[in-house]
Amino acid sequence: MSEIIVMKELLGENKRIAEENREIYRKDHVLMVNIMGAPGAGKTTLLKAVCAELKERGIASSVIEGDLYSSIDADDFNAKGVKASQINTCGECHLDAAVIKSGYDSLDFKNGICFIENVGNLICPAEFDLGEELRIVCASVPEGDDKPFKYVPMFSYVDAVVLTKCDLKEAVGFDSANFKRGMDAVNDAPVFETALGKNVSGTDSGIKALTCYILERYAK
Amino acid sequence: MSEIIVMKELLGENKRIAEENREIYRKDHVLMVNIMGAPGAGKTTLLKAVCAELKERGIASSVIEGDLYSSIDADDFNAKGVKASQINTCGECHLDAAVIKSGYDSLDFKNGICFIENVGNLICPAEFDLGEELRIVCASVPEGDDKPFKYVPMFSYVDAVVLTKCDLKEAVGFDSANFKRGMDAVNDAPVFETALGKNVSGTDSGIKALTCYILERYAK
């Protein structure tokens, strides 16, 4: 019982800070995009590709990296010239609006698109509004085609889905029709398919389509 | 502050029930094995293979299935003749000792090996003792070779690691040496490699080795 009360208080306080965040992003002309997904779903690889695509189009981007421990990903972004700040949750399973507030402050970023790479977790992050305008979940093909059926809160929470590692569909026997059935049952969000593996060459049309989708939201 | 106190109380109560569970399993001559891992890591596929291997050796097995929603996996086990009970957490990100107690009661199982398939989550389940004797994490090759560095609590919590989908190592450019570095940094647990994909044929030596490892613990 007391757990439920504390959780409600926590979520209420989180919501209040999220609304403050949203107001700041609006004033700064920043589109905040929350990228969620299971561990190893391909969030970092996706973000690198989208940031590169945005750069080609002259749009500034930055990243707030959430991880339990380590700064592997933020270091990598900074090395590639994308402004990134690292948040270590020290074991916490999600990011909340307060930690994003401090991560955003340390970025010193305006007029562009800022991505939050959430902690690798297909459950808990769907409970915490961070003040973002756009919510995207990455689901990778090797995770299986039944995920929308099993992780309903996340797949119904998001504005868009990115199905990553599509080059592995045949290798793992991914049933696209079953995935679509699961999606149709919970959400009418668009699904973008990408294949950015180390062994894939050429331009990825899914990344271009996703970038256009994000830019449409940025223009609003 | 209040969140921390409630969490401590919760974990204390969980620990108390876990110890009761442990005592019951001992009396029932059941080895309880907690299988954890990210969504789509291959927990269900692994369990099916291990249960089949145990059956060949004349050892009874059963499964307690944890999922946010749906009974896809438990139905599947029951159809294959393995006693299974389904726990739906309705959005909760982990199983706790109390729900396992009721799941175990409904199984009506003695003298064998019982597996808990935890909720797909590489973070939260590592905080909840369920009364199990053996803790195993499944990490799949497509999740990437950096996972032990990033999900330290889980990889240091377990007795053994199963690296699944090893047939995809080349396709995704998995760096085995980096995975080993990560493991060496956090735990000296054994690592079993398996490849049970739909396109893989033949007997899997990793499953045999893992089954022997589990049986050694059962014999104690």
Side-chain angles (χ1 to χ4, degrees):
Chain A
M1 183 65 182
S2 56
E3 185 190 13
I4 294 168
I5 293 170
V6 172
M7 195 62 195
K8 274 190 181 167
E9 280 174 11
L10 270 177
L11 289 176
E13 176 65 4
N14 184 74
K15 188 78 186 166
R16 193 186 60 72
I17 301 171
E19 292 305 334
E20 287 178 9
N21 288 355
R22 220 181 308 275
E23 195 50 40
I24 293 167
Y25 307 150
R26 210 169 285 143
K27 281 185 188 153
D28 288 352
H29 195 234
V30 165
L31 178 78
M32 187 63 85
V33 185
N34 183 5
I35 308 279
M36 293 164 284
K43 298 181 289 300
T44 315
T45 303
L46 178 80
L47 278 180
K48 281 179 193 162
V50 172
C51 289
E53 188 69 26
L54 287 169
K55 194 178 176 186
E56 271 192 24
R57 296 167 189 232
I59 307 288
S61 63
S62 62
V63 177
I64 302 174
E65 274 294 329
D67 269 307
L68 300 197
Y69 299 94
S70 90
S71 62
I72 299 171
D73 293 338
D75 295 348
D76 210 12
F77 275 107
N78 280 315
K80 284 185 171 58
V82 176
K83 245 184 195 183
S85 76
Q86 180 77 46
I87 294 169
N88 278 150
T89 66
C90 300
E92 273 292 317
C93 54
H94 60 272
L95 299 172
D96 63 27
V99 301
I100 289 299
K101 192 178 175 68
S102 77
Y104 180 76
D105 285 349
S106 74
L107 266 184
D108 191 24
F109 178 77
K110 286 183 182 181
N111 303 307
I113 298 169
C114 181
F115 296 94
I116 296 161
E117 183 178 345
N118 218 309
V119 176
N121 186 333
L122 209 46
I123 307 173
C124 316
E127 286 195 82
F128 289 83
D129 183 359
L130 306 177
E132 73 277 46
E133 275 305 314
L134 200 54
R135 290 164 187 166
I136 295 176
V137 66
C138 282
S140 77
V141 159
E143 286 169 48
D145 47 61
D146 60 353
K147 291 302 158 285
F149 291 105
K150 288 187 165 181
Y151 296 85
V152 175
M154 179 60 81
F155 282 91
S156 55
Y157 182 67
V158 295
D159 300 295
V161 176
V162 183
L163 186 62
T164 61
K165 310 188 191 184
C166 286
D167 51 311
L168 298 175
K169 273 188 182 180
E170 205 186 319
V172 302
F174 186 87
D175 180 348
S176 296
N178 196 45
F179 187 81
K180 189 176 182 320
R181 270 194 297 278
M183 277 307 302
D184 287 348
V186 298
N187 198 332
D188 58 1
V191 177
F192 299 92
E193 301 205 353
T194 66
L196 300 163
K198 290 178 189 169
N199 299 331
V200 181
S201 59
T203 315
D204 189 278
S205 62
I207 290 297
K208 289 196 182 295
L210 174 65
T211 306
C212 288
Y213 171 80
I214 293 169
L215 284 173
E216 274 171 29
R217 294 291 287 258
Y218 181 55
K220 275 182 189 169
Chain B
M1 184 63 184
S2 55
E3 184 190 12
I4 294 168
I5 294 169
V6 173
M7 195 62 195
K8 275 191 180 165
E9 281 174 11
L10 269 177
L11 288 177
E13 175 64 3
N14 183 73
K15 188 77 186 168
R16 193 187 59 72
I17 301 170
E19 291 305 335
E20 287 178 9
N21 288 355
R22 217 180 311 274
E23 195 50 39
I24 293 166
Y25 307 149
R26 209 170 285 143
K27 281 185 188 154
D28 288 352
H29 195 232
V30 165
L31 178 78
M32 187 62 87
V33 186
N34 184 4
I35 308 279
M36 295 165 282
K43 298 182 289 299
T44 315
T45 303
L46 178 80
L47 278 180
K48 281 179 192 161
V50 172
C51 289
E53 188 70 25
L54 287 169
K55 195 179 177 187
E56 271 193 24
R57 296 168 189 232
I59 308 289
S61 62
S62 62
V63 176
I64 302 173
E65 273 293 331
D67 270 308
L68 300 197
Y69 300 94
S70 90
S71 60
I72 300 173
D73 293 337
D75 295 348
D76 210 11
F77 275 106
N78 281 314
K80 285 186 171 58
V82 175
K83 247 186 192 182
S85 77
Q86 179 77 46
I87 295 169
N88 277 150
T89 65
C90 300
E92 271 293 318
C93 55
H94 60 271
L95 299 172
D96 63 27
V99 301
I100 289 300
K101 191 179 177 69
S102 77
Y104 180 75
D105 286 348
S106 74
L107 265 185
D108 191 25
F109 178 78
K110 285 183 184 181
N111 304 308
I113 298 170
C114 182
F115 296 95
I116 297 161
E117 184 178 344
N118 218 309
V119 177
N121 186 332
L122 210 44
I123 306 172
C124 316
E127 285 195 83
F128 290 84
D129 183 0
L130 306 177
E132 72 277 45
E133 275 304 314
L134 201 54
R135 291 165 186 165
I136 296 177
V137 66
C138 281
S140 77
V141 159
E143 287 169 47
D145 48 59
D146 59 354
K147 291 301 159 285
F149 291 106
K150 286 187 166 181
Y151 296 84
V152 175
M154 179 60 82
F155 282 91
S156 55
Y157 182 67
V158 296
D159 300 295
V161 175
V162 182
L163 186 63
T164 61
K165 311 187 190 184
C166 286
D167 51 310
L168 298 175
K169 273 188 181 181
E170 203 184 322
V172 302
F174 186 87
D175 181 348
S176 297
N178 195 44
F179 187 81
K180 188 175 181 322
R181 270 194 296 277
M183 277 307 301
D184 288 347
V186 298
N187 199 331
D188 58 1
V191 178
F192 298 92
E193 302 205 352
T194 67
L196 299 164
K198 291 179 190 170
N199 298 331
V200 180
S201 60
T203 316
D204 191 278
S205 61
I207 290 296
K208 290 196 182 294
L210 174 65
T211 306
C212 288
Y213 170 80
I214 292 169
L215 283 173
E216 275 171 28
R217 294 292 285 256
Y218 181 55
K220 274 183 191 169

